[in-house]
Amino acid sequence: MLNQLTISELTAKLARREVSSREATQACLDQIARVDGSIHAFISHNAADALAQADAADKEIAAGVKKPLLGVPIAVKDVLAVKGQPLNCASKILGNFISPYDATAIEKLKAAGAIIFGRCNMDEFAMGSSTENSAFGVTKNPWDVTRIPGGSSGGSAAAVAADECIASLGTDTGGSIRQPAALCGCVGLKPTYGRISRYGLVAFASSLDQIGPFTKDVRDSAILLGAMSGVDPRDSTSVPQPVPNYAAALDGNIRGLKIGLPKEYMIGGLDAEVKASVDAAVKKYQELGAEIVEISLPHTDYAVAVYYIIATAEASANLARFDGIRYCARVDGADPMELYSKTRGAGFGAEVKRRIILGTYVLSSGYYDAYYLRAQKVRTLIRNDFLKAFETVDAIVTPTTPTAAFKIGEKSDDPLQMYLSDIFTISCNLAGIPGISLPCGFTKNPKLPIGLQLLGKPFGEETMLKLAHAYEQATPWHQERATV
Amino acid sequence: MASAELDVKYTAHLARLALTPDEEKKLGAQLGNILGYIEKLRELDVSNVEPTAHAVPMVNVTRADEIRPSLPHEDALRNAPRQAGGLFIVPKVVE
């Protein structure tokens, strides 16, 4: 089945002319038709447009054109601008918005020959950990449709896990790529802050957001990271750091590399099966020749509190642009003030309203120093914890999530419990370092994926990927597929 | 740190966000709970710590001040709820 292939498998077959891009794209579309009624990974997709792109790619292949992703179907989270396609951020407020331009990451993938198709479901404006906050319905976990796929990029993760695409894109502000990747059993990577341009990504928390790939193996993750990275004059926070050939770093030789095991991550709420899988992974790393070093990240316990001040503060400012003037489903009012309030009141969902209110409050006169400034200072302490640890280790290993996928509805009425489910992924964004989640086992009954998280030094993606790849190749987990 | 009393109605006004009385009530309880949790940051002494706004700070990112291609006018207006004569239409602002 062509839709089950990895990027490297498909591009090899395309290069040998064993298959066409049209066949591969059609296989993804057929799988969507077969399973997406029960998974709901996609808000929408345009089959005719995808096939037209595939035909164009097949013509180029026939003409001998060489591009790294030529003919590979890649699905996109509904928060990234793709010219001519709808963009809703899984919110009602954007109405019938059609993107007038491509995000830089999309532009780069198109230039590399990818077929860009579909709008993957997500928590509204990327705010959530379960994809239950979508105005377009809940996405289901392909391993168990009574459970959440994680979030906010739940649709992108489920689409890869259910083989509805070859790979997909998500965004990660506090774990929104790594957490759903862990819960759906695929590979999800959040790059170093500034590695990939955020131009054309609808901003949630500008100092934390990064775009990244969901893939079926680590090699594909390296391929897509390389294809999207690089400085961009349209994003002044993108960093002019050379882009290495990430896939070339995957040589399996991790002998002598030092991996830190933070003692603060072995917390009370950590599920016994998750802990056992992570312990086994640590042992596997030792067998493969890596050295495990116990480290301390003493401010870990404050990360969730810091995050929910900084992320909501930035969100309240960023989401001010959704006011019903230049775009949005407008609700009329007697004056501009009433128009803004009514448009936003009618258009935003409950979680978005909650975060806008919290963010507005922590930035408001009299509270700024107590909340926002203090949070920024604790952010410094959290970042310093990591920089200190990286003086002695090459990477850090942790569980990605405290538990496997929880039931739909289980935490949706308790925002604080939902926020605490991101406890292992949030520090990475505050520190601006790269992180990856990859499969490291399954719970027994029901069978649900468990994710292993590796965190790297700033711009240390090569070492992080090398370590992820070595473990993946030494274990069977990535070959298991959800039966949908 | 400030008290965990959050005036939802006033904050919603600052955010230009119309809420129903039900939403105000529910948000008040939930945000009180979240602010209570956030209070834990008071445990730390941050008196000699510099704030971090960006993890990878880039300073003075500039470009040449020259005209470059930009979004065509009609494309920029295409998603407008109301437009006419190449402009966004809004309610009357000044009498």
Side-chain angles (χ1 to χ4, degrees):
Chain A
M1 301 256 276
L2 296 177
N3 53 305
Q4 293 180 318
L5 297 177
T6 63
I7 293 173
S8 35
E9 288 165 351
L10 176 59
T11 49
K13 280 183 189 292
L14 288 168
R16 292 196 299 265
R17 317 279 167 93
E18 281 172 35
V19 299
S20 65
S21 174
R22 175 176 260 269
E23 289 167 327
T25 305
Q26 187 63 55
C28 293
L29 296 171
D30 289 348
Q31 180 73 345
I32 293 172
R34 196 174 75 79
V35 306
D36 212 53
S38 56
I39 304 296
H40 194 47
F42 288 88
I43 291 173
S44 67
H45 69 286
N46 184 338
D49 177 65
L51 291 170
Q53 291 181 59
D55 287 342
D58 282 328
K59 270 193 191 133
E60 290 197 83
I61 294 170
V65 174
K66 301 262 189 258
K67 290 177 187 172
L69 297 169
L70 191 52
V72 178
I74 294 175
V76 177
K77 185 180 184 180
D78 191 30
V79 72
L80 290 161
V82 179
K83 190 175 182 177
Q85 291 191 12
L87 187 157
N88 291 94
C89 301
S91 179
K92 282 190 295 189
I93 202 165
L94 274 153
N96 299 315
F97 190 92
I98 302 292
S99 296
Y101 58 83
D102 279 327
T104 299
I106 298 296
E107 202 174 79
K108 282 173 174 275
L109 292 182
K110 282 183 175 175
I115 313 300
I116 302 296
F117 84 105
R119 306 299 301 171
C120 290
N121 199 15
M122 54 186 277
D123 287 298
E124 183 180 0
F125 285 100
M127 297 178 184
S129 311
S130 67
T131 315
E132 291 170 293
N133 299 333
S134 167
F136 295 86
V138 179
T139 297
K140 320 293 196 321
N141 191 311
W143 293 88
D144 177 349
V145 293
T146 68
R147 289 172 192 272
I148 56 98
S152 66
S153 314
S156 302
V160 168
D163 291 309
E164 296 173 81
C165 56
I166 303 299
S168 68
L169 299 188
T171 57
D172 191 315
T173 304
S176 285
I177 290 174
R178 290 158 289 149
Q179 185 255 21
L183 301 188
C184 288
C186 45
V187 177
L189 184 148
K190 183 204 90 77
T192 306
Y193 185 81
R195 178 71 295 188
I196 294 176
S197 167
R198 292 183 294 110
Y199 179 77
L201 157 62
V202 179
F204 159 17
S206 306
S207 81
L208 306 167
D209 298 341
Q210 272 292 291
I211 300 167
F214 285 93
T215 56
K216 297 171 189 177
D217 69 11
V218 174
R219 183 168 297 278
D220 282 4
S221 192
I223 291 169
L224 286 185
L225 174 65
M228 292 188 287
S229 291
V231 69
D232 176 12
R234 293 172 296 192
D235 173 7
S236 62
T237 64
S238 65
V239 178
Q241 181 93 1
V243 181
N245 182 347
Y246 292 111
L250 310 180
D251 58 10
N253 181 12
I254 61 164
R255 197 155 289 280
L257 286 177
K258 287 194 181 129
I259 305 175
L261 192 60
K263 60 178 183 196
E264 289 81 4
Y265 281 56
M266 296 296 148
I267 55 163
L270 183 59
D271 176 81
E273 284 180 287
V274 173
K275 183 176 187 308
S277 290
V278 173
D279 286 345
V282 167
K283 202 169 242 175
K284 177 61 80 179
Y285 269 119
Q286 285 174 315
E287 282 170 36
L288 293 170
E291 187 186 332
I292 304 293
V293 183
E294 186 175 287
I295 57 164
S296 177
L297 300 168
H299 297 95
T300 297
D301 194 35
Y302 302 97
V304 173
V306 170
Y307 177 84
Y308 279 95
I309 293 173
I310 289 177
T312 58
E314 293 184 9
S316 73
N318 276 324
L319 269 59
R321 62 170 63 88
F322 300 99
D323 59 6
I325 301 299
R326 292 150 301 159
Y327 37 79
C328 295
R330 177 186 291 188
V331 179
D332 278 313
D335 54 36
M337 199 72 94
E338 193 183 320
L339 182 155
Y340 302 150
S341 286
K342 283 186 168 176
T343 296
R344 292 157 64 77
F348 289 136
E351 181 63 25
V352 175
K353 287 177 180 169
R354 197 147 48 225
R355 297 205 196 186
I356 288 175
I357 297 290
L358 183 59
T360 303
Y361 176 72
V362 299
L363 289 176
S364 63
S365 175
Y367 299 105
Y368 180 95
D369 284 5
Y371 288 111
Y372 188 64
L373 189 63
R374 177 170 281 263
Q376 285 191 315
K377 289 180 175 178
V378 181
R379 183 178 182 181
T380 303
L381 298 175
I382 290 169
R383 180 167 161 77
N384 288 347
D385 281 355
F386 281 99
L387 297 182
K388 185 159 179 284
F390 284 128
E391 286 172 12
T392 49
V393 298
D394 299 294
I396 293 169
V397 65
T398 79
T400 310
T401 59
T403 66
F406 46 88
K407 290 266 189 187
I408 290 166
E410 192 178 321
K411 298 186 184 184
S412 48
D413 284 336
D414 190 343
L416 184 56
Q417 280 313 307
M418 186 73 91
Y419 296 174
L420 290 169
S421 71
D422 296 336
I423 196 149
F424 295 144
T425 49
I426 271 176
S427 303
C428 167
N429 301 73
L430 294 170
I433 59 175
I436 190 170
S437 178
L438 67 158
C440 72
F442 293 88
T443 58
K444 278 203 178 63
N445 190 22
K447 183 179 178 180
L448 300 169
I450 298 170
L452 184 74
Q453 178 175 243
L454 291 166
L455 302 172
K457 295 179 182 178
F459 297 99
E461 280 89 348
E462 277 179 292
T463 303
M464 183 180 84
L465 284 161
K466 183 207 278 273
L467 284 164
H469 175 255
Y471 172 80
E472 174 192 77
Q473 294 303 305
T475 53
W477 316 119
H478 68 292
Q479 285 156 345
E480 302 233 13
R481 311 301 305 156
T483 43
V484 194
Chain B
M1 194 172 253
S3 82
E5 290 298 315
L6 195 163
D7 183 342
V8 175
K9 209 189 223 358
Y10 174 67
T11 313
H13 163 73
L14 292 178
R16 309 293 182 254
L17 187 59
L19 298 176
T20 64
D22 267 6
E23 284 178 321
E24 273 176 27
K25 209 172 141 203
K26 205 170 174 192
L27 276 171
Q30 290 169 332
L31 290 170
N33 196 13
I34 295 164
L35 285 172
Y37 177 76
I38 286 172
E39 292 289 312
K40 74 191 296 166
L41 295 183
R42 292 170 78 166
E43 295 164 10
L44 293 167
D45 177 10
V46 292
S47 47
N48 293 314
V49 182
E50 288 294 313
T52 295
H54 272 261
V56 187
M58 303 283 295
V59 289
N60 297 337
V61 180
T62 59
R63 58 170 172 79
D65 184 16
E66 54 197 22
I67 294 169
R68 298 177 301 168
S70 61
L71 203 60
H73 213 96
E74 55 273 23
D75 288 359
L77 282 165
R78 191 159 292 147
N79 287 300
R82 286 186 68 200
Q83 53 141 317
L87 300 166
F88 297 107
I89 302 294
V90 298
K92 204 175 200 176
V93 182
V94 270
E95 290 300 325

